[in-house]
Amino acid sequence: NMSLAHEYLCAAYAMSSGSPSGSLAAIPSTRDGGLPPLGGDPLVLNELGVVLYHQNNLEAAADLFRQALALAASLQCDPAAWVATRANLGHALRRMNRFEEALAEFDECVRISSGGSASGYSNSLGGVSAVSSGVSGYEDRGLIGSLHTSRGLIYLEMGRIMEAVTVLHEAVRVLGVSGGDASGGAGVAGTLLSRALELW
């Protein structure tokens, strides 16, 4: 129930930012609205962005993901804890056909995640959240595999087939050795890889 989720998240935002309860309308349900800069809880902003993403309000969702990242940075949070939000931003940009921007976000996610920082795999929009540490863990391989899959999808949409084949092959490799739930992602990556090879 996205409407109810939006209502509760607006209330949570009002509490986290110290806004009076009557100011809930400040949270955008469309691109026209806006939030005060750097206010509230970045986790609430991310979740509001997810709701707007699922309502196909992609521009407003991307704005909330950006604001969540800016707020997290201003609070000097570990960037690895915000890989999920950055991936969410990448997915929103991809759906808006802003492929270069989306690719830059996913590249940054891979850079952060490959540095041995604390990040893992979960059911968030982009498939990532901060839950574990160390690149060798199951969750980290699933995270990196899903990020490579997202990058491969963007390369396919851009017509950059050779690069798509390379990153999708890496996604299949990483997800295949992960085992468990992450190995299901290897099927998606494998399907995309097969398509890329056909196009190549």
Side-chain angles (χ1 to χ4, degrees), residues 54-123:
H54 286 296
Q55 292 175 329
N56 290 319
N57 194 342
L58 301 174
E59 198 68 49
D63 287 345
L64 288 175
F65 296 140
R66 282 190 187 100
Q67 185 163 341
L69 290 168
L71 180 56
S74 76
L75 296 172
Q76 299 178 348
C77 296
D78 179 4
W82 297 94
V83 169
T85 302
R86 189 168 299 283
N88 291 345
L89 174 58
H91 284 292
L93 293 167
R94 176 185 57 80
R95 286 194 48 208
M96 290 187 287
N97 297 323
R98 291 162 57 181
F99 300 127
E100 291 292 344
E101 292 174 70
L103 193 56
E105 295 301 332
F106 285 117
D107 287 347
E108 181 66 6
C109 288
V110 170
R111 187 193 66 74
I112 292 168
S113 300
S114 296
S117 49
S119 49
Y121 194 84
S122 80
N123 293 324

